[in-house]
Amino acid sequence: MDTLVHWGILGTGGIARAFALALRDTPGACLAAVGSRTLASSTAFVAELGAPAGARACGSYEELVATPDVDIVYIATPHPLHAVNALMALDAGKPVLVEKPFAMSLREAEAVVAKARDKKLFLMEAMWTRFMPALEALKRVVDAGEIGTPTLLQADFGFSAPLDPEHRVNKRALGGGALLDLGIYPLSIASAILASPRISRRRRHSVRPASTSPRYSACATRAARSRAAAVRCARSPSELTVSGSLGSVRLESMFHMAQAVVVANASGATRRIDAPFLGNGYVHEALAAGEALRAGLLEHPVMTHADTLATMRGLDTIRARIGLRYPGD
């Protein structure tokens, strides 16, 4: 592989468009091919995005993963297809970046990770928040001991979802609901900061209209050394705060898109650390995946297989406790 990473995007929905736009702003990366279930859809996608000359429109997912000049495949299909599409790409010998949620269950996730390890191919979950400069700045503050021993992480993420019952986010068969679309973000960040917290047996809650997936969910987690986290996925300010014995550090207003960190010490004095992101934010995970690919890594140290499996285990636990089941369970 040369220094330019040639990406193939599997899927043509909204998240695929966001990632394709990010590739325009990603040094050392380009869009080589797009795969859809129909040639018309992938052709329209390539034309709409103004893809580089020579970018290929593929009329099937199988054609996309078989394209010789694709170095890595980004899986951007609906949630229930993530695992099966990732396995297909790995079987075709392609490294893979899988959009979150990595799979619908821990069982599916373990099968994908096992396949990648067997094939000795790079595999990563596209948890873009892990690579955002503001979160990296927050983690540096925590790791440097500026707020003392971390004791509490509070994170929430939400937006007003469409009420149309036929929309993807409201269809259980497509993994709809707040948990996989939203709750996965604060849960993954809690794992990144607190190191694999476990879901509390006592604190969890969800609300759902009849015959749909939950539109709101909350849970508490606990970790070693008296650390705790409270995470919510609902219409909310979408902020992240880590508190410790000497102060706190906070990402304000839509933590996944924050461009600054605010550090407060025990006396109340604050300082601001600017942390702007590139493009639409997805650039940073594309950069990270490309760098890992060039280095010959099988997983990225910031978003490891163990991290992904820990998050999937947490999601399975939450689902079991709120009684949420998907058709593939």
Side-chain angles (χ1 to χ4, degrees):
M1 184 183 74
D2 59 31
T3 57
L4 185 64
V5 176
H6 299 80
W7 285 86
I9 297 180
L10 201 155
T12 54
I15 194 67
R17 283 174 169 79
F19 192 78
L21 289 172
L23 289 179
R24 294 178 180 176
D25 299 313
T26 304
C30 75
L31 177 59
V34 177
S36 180
R37 288 173 293 183
T38 67
L39 182 59
S41 178
S42 58
T43 299
F45 184 97
V46 169
E48 176 190 344
L49 271 294
R56 180 173 179 175
C58 302
S60 70
Y61 298 153
E62 290 80 6
E63 182 183 351
L64 183 280
V65 300
T67 300
D69 59 350
V70 167
D71 297 319
I72 181 170
V73 174
Y74 169 62
I75 306 294
T77 47
H79 299 348
L81 296 179
H82 286 182
V84 66
N85 290 158
L87 290 170
M88 177 179 63
L90 291 166
D91 276 330
K94 300 296 188 186
V96 177
L97 176 67
V98 187
E99 183 52 46
K100 64 85 196 164
F102 187 81
M104 293 293 287
S105 66
L106 177 62
R107 173 180 53 82
E108 287 187 354
E110 288 175 333
V112 176
V113 169
K115 175 72 71 173
R117 289 174 176 171
D118 179 62
K119 294 283 187 177
K120 296 181 172 53
L121 292 168
F122 175 77
L123 171 70
M124 186 175 88
E125 182 176 13
M127 188 60 67
W128 67 307
T129 50
R130 289 285 192 106
F131 299 96
M132 292 294 272
L135 185 65
E136 292 179 343
L138 180 145
K139 200 167 188 310
R140 284 196 298 271
V141 168
V142 173
D143 292 345
E146 285 194 51
I147 64 168
T149 302
T151 54
L152 176 65
L153 180 148
Q154 295 171 288
D156 59 87
F157 183 40
F159 60 82
S160 295
L163 297 178
D164 179 3
E166 294 305 309
H167 193 282
R168 177 194 65 79
V169 300
N170 295 317
K171 295 182 76 68
R172 190 182 309 186
L174 295 180
L179 188 61
L180 296 187
D181 270 284
L182 303 178
I184 190 171
Y185 284 117
L187 188 61
S188 178
I189 285 178
S191 293
I193 304 299
L194 300 184
S196 300
R198 298 184 299 277
I199 306 300
S200 168
R201 292 181 176 275
R202 292 174 293 180
R203 302 230 13 221
R204 77 281 186 277
H205 180 62
S206 70
V207 174
R208 83 180 104 199
S211 303
T212 68
S213 295
R215 298 178 64 83
Y216 169 92
S217 187
C219 74
T221 70
R222 56 190 175 83
R225 298 183 295 279
S226 300
R227 299 179 179 183
V231 301
R232 296 183 298 164
C233 48
R235 188 67 184 124
S236 62
S238 298
E239 298 176 349
L240 168 66
T241 302
V242 182
S243 302
S245 55
L246 300 179
S248 65
V249 56
R250 183 184 186 200
L251 301 186
E252 299 175 317
S253 182
M254 299 299 285
F255 70 81
H256 65 305
M257 294 291 281
Q259 300 198 56
V261 169
V262 177
V263 185
N265 62 29
S267 69
T270 64
R271 69 184 181 94
R272 179 186 176 92
I273 303 172
D274 289 327
F277 56 80
L278 300 173
N280 61 6
Y282 294 94
V283 171
H284 297 280
E285 70 175 1
L287 277 171
E291 290 166 357
L293 201 60
R294 293 189 194 95
L297 303 181
L298 301 185
E299 57 185 315
H300 197 285
V302 172
M303 189 68 230
T304 66
H305 298 164
D307 289 334
T308 289
L309 295 178
T311 299
M312 290 306 309
R313 186 176 295 108
L315 292 170
D316 276 9
T317 300
I318 293 170
R319 288 205 297 120
R321 291 180 184 167
I322 65 177
L324 174 60
R325 295 184 61 82
Y326 296 123
D329 287 346

